[in-house]
Amino acid sequence: MPHFTLEHTTNLPALDAQALLRAANQALFASGQFGAEIDIKSRAIPLEAFAVGTAGDGLRGFIHGKLAILSGRNAEIKRQLSEAVLAAIEAQYSVPDHMDVQISVEIVDLDRAAYAKAAHTRRSAT
């Protein structure tokens, strides 16, 4: 835990999704809210079909992050997490001057009592 999903429109030039995921993971680990860094999982979903407003000129796009965490954290911690991830994304991606781009992050609570996980670690060959 946590799970971070990054959605981004495919019209954003020079967007390196892997670099954005690494930056988000580093910000999440630095928050001190999560145990081991190996527990932070992230993925990127490129969006080829999308609309931003009503203009169809292809000069609008977005990056949206959804952070799913176990329930129980207060609103201030959630705000700190969303702002840290947003800052990490903005530091990693330079928005082109000729485009309108919105970047957002949301926090979603997962029911702690209903969440199940199995972690299988590598075994060293001896």
Side-chain angles (χ1 to χ4, degrees):
M1 188 49 46
H3 287 272
F4 180 66
T5 303
L6 182 79
E7 297 176 330
H8 63 89
T9 58
T10 55
N11 66 331
L12 299 177
L15 185 138
D16 182 346
Q18 192 64 47
L20 292 179
L21 294 177
R22 280 193 304 275
N25 282 12
Q26 290 169 351
L28 291 170
F29 185 62
S31 75
Q33 288 296 312
F34 310 104
E37 56 84 22
I38 195 170
D39 291 333
I40 301 169
K41 290 149 305 272
S42 60
R43 76 277 290 149
I45 302 171
L47 304 170
E48 292 190 30
F50 63 90
V52 179
T54 59
D57 59 9
L59 297 177
R60 295 178 178 179
F62 65 85
I63 300 169
H64 177 72
K66 179 167 41 172
L67 178 62
I69 59 175
L70 292 176
S71 59
R73 290 178 178 84
N74 66 38
E76 178 61 19
I77 290 172
K78 291 176 187 177
R79 183 192 61 75
Q80 290 171 1
L81 288 169
S82 64
E83 288 181 359
V85 172
L86 178 62
I89 292 169
E90 288 194 296
Q92 186 64 43
Y93 183 67
S94 296
V95 175
D97 290 337
H98 70 281
M99 294 188 73
D100 295 312
V101 178
Q102 297 180 33
I103 305 172
S104 57
V105 177
E106 70 174 307
I107 307 286
V108 177
D109 279 334
L110 296 175
D111 183 357
R112 187 176 291 272
Y115 184 78
K117 174 183 170 180
H120 302 271
T121 58
R122 287 178 271 179
R123 297 185 183 109
S124 59
T126 53

